Amino acid sequence: MIINRLATRAVSTAFRQRAAVQSTAGFHSTTAADAKVAVLGAAGGIGQPLSLLCKLSPEVDELSCYDIVGTPGVAADLSHIPTKSSTTGSLPSPVAWPPKHNGGLEEALTGADVVVIPAGVPRKPGMTRDDLFNTNASIVQTLVEGCAKFCPDAIIAIISNPVNSTVPIAAEVLKKHGVYNPKKLVGVTTLDVCRANTFVANSQGWDPKDVDVTVIGGHAGITILPLFSRVDGAKFSDEELEAITVRTQFGGDEVVAAKAGAGSATLSMAYAGFIFTENVLKAMRGEEVTQCAFVESDLTDAEFFASPVKFGKDGVEDVLPLGELSAYEKGWFDKMLPELKKQIQKGVDFVNK
């Protein structure tokens, strides 16, 4: 799993406007070698920089932006950037009688190969990701219903928090529509890896591109478990290990507090979401890609779990074994698992209430 190497290469090649690797396998768009990415929530704090990075990527041929406001302007702005991808921006269809389906969402999703969902409200000081549940759960449910109808074969990457609950929500929605495929539903936990890599590099005086920390569990507080014992050459005292673990787990709180009510982690999350998305596209074109993701898993008795995952042309190809944990990591693992299962069940119950 070489996420940092993939990340560095992804961004640098995007800015050089490298020609995309051509392939005829693995895509559902009208042209086999073309990749369509739909960003749902594209006018938001994460959605706009995420859409910008996707526009710069040589792996993206068509970028479709959707939100409840602002997306025509976002798409028009992005369309002036001289890269090969086309850009469209859609809004929900006006309310009509008799009621009809959302034509704007249909336009955004039809033919999509990858759907990235950062839509939702951000955290404010004092809020946990779980505090966002009621609002963001409904948003994710509605958007995934659209995916089930208009792009049932697309890979769906969930960024909207709380990921530990919104991914199970998406799974239950897809099951109700008869189109659930565990290989094509993932929660994006890449930001946890980015934070862990950055914090280790800073503490050791290393270049972050040379660090690759495996982060397992979920994507909220103590459910985030960085496996620092596997970082070759890193040396921590007991106090330092505790501090860097907790900082990785609650790195989002650090940003929320620093923004003082103006939002949560948007730029770093957009970067992480872009890296994840571009790596998925590369895997669909035949490259070997392994990265951490929150997926349906039998590694533990939690239905979903974040761990190193091998991606291929059809999405998740293999969930890799966890391997041995240190005694310190085992302690966190035992504390994390009941909380993770509780958050997963909350998502399942939301759809089936």
Side-chain angles (χ1 to χ4, degrees):
M1 181 184 65
I2 313 296
I3 188 170
N4 245 345
R5 187 178 67 192
L6 290 168
T8 302
R9 186 174 63 182
V11 173
S12 63
T13 54
F15 277 86
R16 291 200 303 267
Q17 300 178 30
R18 181 189 66 186
V21 177
Q22 295 299 306
S23 171
T24 58
F27 292 88
H28 305 101
S29 303
T30 52
T31 303
D34 290 346
K36 177 178 178 178
V37 173
V39 178
L40 309 185
I46 297 171
Q48 288 202 43
L50 173 60
S51 297
L52 171 62
L53 291 167
C54 288
K55 173 62 176 164
L56 295 173
S57 173
E59 302 296 331
V60 178
D61 299 280
E62 182 179 351
L63 175 62
S64 176
C65 301
Y66 176 86
D67 211 324
I68 57 173
V69 294
T71 35
V74 170
D77 200 357
L78 291 172
S79 72
H80 292 184
I81 297 172
T83 57
K84 68 168 187 168
S85 59
S86 62
T87 310
T88 59
S90 302
L91 295 169
S93 298
V95 176
W97 185 262
K100 60 182 180 180
H101 72 262
N102 187 340
L105 186 58
E106 178 181 14
E107 178 184 353
L109 292 176
T110 299
D113 299 292
V114 179
V115 179
V116 191
I117 306 181
V121 297
R123 280 198 295 160
K124 295 181 179 179
M127 293 178 67
T128 66
R129 288 180 179 88
D130 203 48
D131 291 332
L132 304 176
F133 180 83
N134 287 332
T135 298
N136 287 359
S138 297
I139 292 170
V140 170
Q141 181 178 26
T142 298
L143 294 175
V144 174
E145 284 173 351
C147 294
K149 294 175 184 176
F150 306 127
C151 58
D153 293 322
I155 294 173
I156 303 173
I158 306 288
I159 292 174
S160 306
N161 277 317
V163 166
N164 294 350
S165 301
T166 53
V167 170
I169 286 171
E172 293 303 305
V173 170
L174 294 168
K175 288 174 185 177
K176 285 181 177 293
H177 285 79
V179 294
Y180 177 59
N181 182 346
K183 295 186 175 189
K184 295 190 179 274
L185 176 64
V186 292
V188 179
T189 61
T190 311
L191 181 53
D192 301 325
V193 178
C194 290
R195 285 177 173 146
N197 291 346
T198 299
F199 300 158
V200 167
N202 290 346
S203 72
Q204 304 295 308
W206 296 345
D207 188 329
K209 72 177 177 60
D210 298 324
V211 184
D212 187 30
V213 181
T214 297
V215 183
I216 66 171
H219 182 61
I222 66 167
T223 70
I224 299 168
L225 180 53
L227 304 183
F228 292 122
S229 68
R230 300 184 185 181
V231 181
D232 291 339
K235 297 180 180 179
F236 306 102
S237 67
D238 290 346
E239 294 76 13
E240 289 169 338
L241 179 59
E242 178 76 6
I244 197 171
T245 297
V246 172
R247 190 182 182 198
T248 302
Q249 292 172 329
F250 295 95
D253 294 359
E254 184 177 308
V255 177
V256 170
K259 289 191 174 182
S264 57
T266 53
L267 301 176
S268 54
M269 185 64 251
Y271 169 81
F274 160 70
I275 294 304
F276 181 87
T277 301
E278 186 165 71
N279 285 341
V280 167
L281 290 171
K282 289 178 178 180
M284 292 172 74
R285 284 196 163 106
E287 290 192 32
E288 291 189 8
V289 171
T290 300
Q291 57 185 344
C292 290
F294 187 65
V295 298
E296 183 177 299
S297 171
D298 60 5
L299 294 179
T300 71
D301 58 355
E303 184 178 358
F304 295 89
F305 196 81
S307 64
V309 174
K310 182 180 179 182
F311 285 83
K313 294 181 179 180
D314 296 314
V316 174
E317 196 167 274
D318 192 19
V319 178
L320 304 182
L322 280 182
E324 292 295 321
L325 303 181
S326 70
Y328 176 79
E329 292 159 353
K330 185 66 166 60
W332 277 112
F333 181 90
D334 291 342
K335 287 188 288 186
M336 166 256 287
L337 202 58
E339 181 62 26
L340 177 59
K341 291 164 64 177
K342 177 182 173 182
Q343 293 176 19
I344 291 170
Q345 190 61 46
K346 187 173 183 177
V348 172
D349 292 343
F350 177 81
V351 179
N352 297 314
K353 59 188 177 184

